Amino acid sequence: MSLQHHKVVLVGDGAVGSSYAFAMAQQGLAEEFVIVDVFKERTVGDAMDIEDAQAFTAPKNIYGGGYEDAGDADLVVITAGAPQKPGETRLDLVDKNLGIMKSIIEPLMASGFDGIILVAANPVDILTLAAQKLSGLPTTRVFGSGTSLDTARLRADLGKKFNVDPRSVDAYILGEHGDSEFANFDEATIGGRSIKAFAKDANISDEDLDAILYATAHKAYEIIDRKGATFYGVATALMRISKAILKNENAVLPVGAYMDGQYGLNDIYIGTPAIINNQGVASVIETPLSDSEATKMAASAKALKDIADEAFA
Ligand code: NAD
């Protein structure tokens, strides 16, 4: 990766993708930014629109393009996916989105691409595994947004509860990005002091903490009910991960990382903290878990493994 010139390709210029492109432009990240979508005219329109914002931020080269532009890209971010239709099962959606992932990875790899792939399309943990297997790239260079958005939501809620900047809350949502995710309340801290101690001081019970987790895990539905989709939160999480990659930060961020023995798990992607730099996942941080949290991690991994086994059968 050249220090002077970073090239990012976005695949999927919908609500999430276009918000991500805008967030990247606002931060002045990526000297060259290519937008790819089956809806080609929209990519050109979005590039033109974001170009207009750059007189106020920093000049970058942003354009609608194709996979042929990806050969020398540092990072490809995939937000292309079909939404779940009424009556469709989760596995139907998996099948459909696996087909979309195949139609992306084949031309991407044919371009000679040899960078990092970051996946956000859902079901993200399964689609990340598919992207890795289809691309043949090292597992460290293909990873997912995992529980990054969920963790952001949890930190914001805990920050509000304890009147602390959410960036100072060291708590994680771990596991699947989905129904079996859980919070590491037994291990979470603020300023090195346990969240449970803060909760006790504030008369917040374990049930109240569970209610915060429930609200975090169900916030997407609350937003979707009101505006049809969620995109600013995840787009900002993707921007933050991209920044850690492009600026070689070694930042500790929650992502969907490949399990190679960590937490006793293998051959799945799952939400965990990891060190992110310009090599992708430099290392997975196997964060300490209490016994009950370890049980939740195992159950979440099993839920993912069952879907993966069926999807890849
Ligand atoms: P959207 O429908 O607005 O956008 C999807 C885009 O993908 C569309 O522009 C569509 O034209 C494009 N697309 C479809 N098939 C394609 C293909 N084969 N090649 C290229 N582009 C293709 O949807 P959205 O709201 O932007 O959501 C996108 C994905 O992100 C969904 O899977 C959604 O579930 C997921 N999402 C993930 C998180 C997270 O935390 N990981 C959060 C929110 C949404």
Side-chain angles (χ1 to χ4, degrees), residues 113-137:
F113 173 72
D114 194 26
I116 294 170
I117 297 177
L118 173 60
V119 180
N122 275 322
V124 67
D125 303 300
I126 303 295
L127 291 185
T128 309
L129 186 63
Q132 192 280 321
K133 289 195 184 302
L134 291 165
S135 68
L137 289 171

Side-chain angles (χ1 to χ4, degrees), residues 178-194:
D179 295 341
S180 66
E181 68 187 26
F182 65 98
N184 70 336
F185 287 134
D186 292 340
E187 308 291 339
T189 59
I190 297 172
R193 184 169 188 247
S194 92

Side-chain angles (χ1 to χ4, degrees), residues 11-18 36-39 42 67 78-83 97 99-101 103-104 119-124 127 145-146 148-150 153 177 229-231 234:
V11 182
D13 188 27
V16 173
S18 57
V36 180
D37 196 288
V38 283
F39 188 8
R42 187 188 156 98
Y67 294 103
I78 301 178
T79 66
N97 281 343
I100 290 177
M101 187 57 79
S103 78
I104 292 167
V119 180
N122 275 322
V124 67
L127 291 185
S145 54
S148 56
L149 172 60
D150 322 66
R153 285 177 177 152
H177 169 63
T230 79
F231 36 91
V234 65

Side-chain angles (χ1 to χ4, degrees), residues 22-306:
F22 183 62
M24 291 291 281
Q26 290 290 305
Q27 294 284 321
L29 291 166
E31 286 68 24
E32 194 174 347
F33 194 98
V34 189
I35 309 178
V36 180
D37 196 288
V38 283
F39 188 8
K40 173 84 182 161
E41 283 309 315
R42 187 188 156 98
T43 68
V44 177
D46 257 340
M48 291 167 75
D49 199 4
I50 291 173
E51 216 170 42
D52 287 349
Q54 294 188 347
F56 308 105
T57 54
K60 304 282 166 187
N61 182 14
I62 180 165
Y63 54 94
Y67 294 103
E68 64 280 6
D69 298 307
D72 60 347
D74 302 297
L75 169 66
V76 169
V77 176
I78 301 178
T79 66
Q84 196 159 3
K85 288 204 177 130
E88 237 177 16
T89 67
R90 202 167 163 198
L91 265 178
D92 290 338
L93 183 69
V94 173
D95 275 351
K96 196 155 60 175
N97 281 343
L98 277 177
I100 290 177
M101 187 57 79
K102 207 163 175 215
S103 78
I104 292 167
I105 299 293
E106 277 175 6
L108 174 65
M109 297 316 289
S111 75
F113 173 72
D114 194 26
I116 294 170
I117 297 177
L118 173 60
V119 180
N122 275 322
V124 67
D125 303 300
I126 303 295
L127 291 185
T128 309
L129 186 63
Q132 192 280 321
K133 289 195 184 302
L134 291 165
S135 68
L137 289 171
T139 53
T140 50
R141 283 204 273 128
V142 182
F143 62 104
S145 54
T147 47
S148 56
L149 172 60
D150 322 66
T151 296
R153 285 177 177 152
L154 177 72
R155 290 179 180 183
D157 274 3
L158 291 173
K160 254 191 253 171
K161 220 41 175 194
F162 299 125
N163 200 21
V164 166
D165 184 330
R167 292 169 298 179
S168 303
V169 178
D170 195 17
Y172 288 93
I173 295 282
L174 303 164
E176 174 196 13
H177 169 63
D179 295 341
S180 66
E181 68 187 26
F182 65 98
N184 70 336
F185 287 134
D186 292 340
E187 308 291 339
T189 59
I190 297 172
R193 184 169 188 247
S194 92
I195 289 270
K196 293 241 161 146
F198 276 93
K200 200 168 171 215
D201 286 354
N203 270 331
I204 293 171
S205 64
D206 281 359
E207 288 70 34
D208 294 332
L209 287 177
D210 285 344
I212 292 179
L213 169 63
Y214 183 87
T216 296
H218 288 78
K219 194 169 181 189
Y221 302 115
E222 294 284 332
I223 299 171
I224 290 167
D225 276 354
R226 289 170 171 84
K227 58 180 268 192
T230 79
F231 36 91
Y232 296 132
V234 65
T236 311
L238 291 172
M239 178 279 291
R240 178 67 192 92
I241 297 168
S242 302
K243 190 176 173 192
I245 295 169
L246 301 178
K247 295 196 176 286
N248 197 21
E249 283 183 348
N250 286 316
V252 175
L253 297 170
V255 296
Y258 186 78
M259 292 296 105
D260 193 13
Q262 299 89 348
Y263 307 102
L265 306 175
N266 282 291
D267 203 29
I268 51 166
Y269 280 85
I270 203 160
T272 174
I275 299 176
I276 308 298
N277 65 17
N278 68 2
Q279 300 305 304
V281 174
S283 67
V284 170
I285 295 184
E286 188 175 341
T287 197
L289 300 177
S290 64
D291 288 351
S292 76
E293 290 167 356
T295 305
K296 288 174 189 162
M297 186 62 129
S300 193
K302 182 172 182 321
L304 279 172
K305 197 95 180 163
D306 288 350

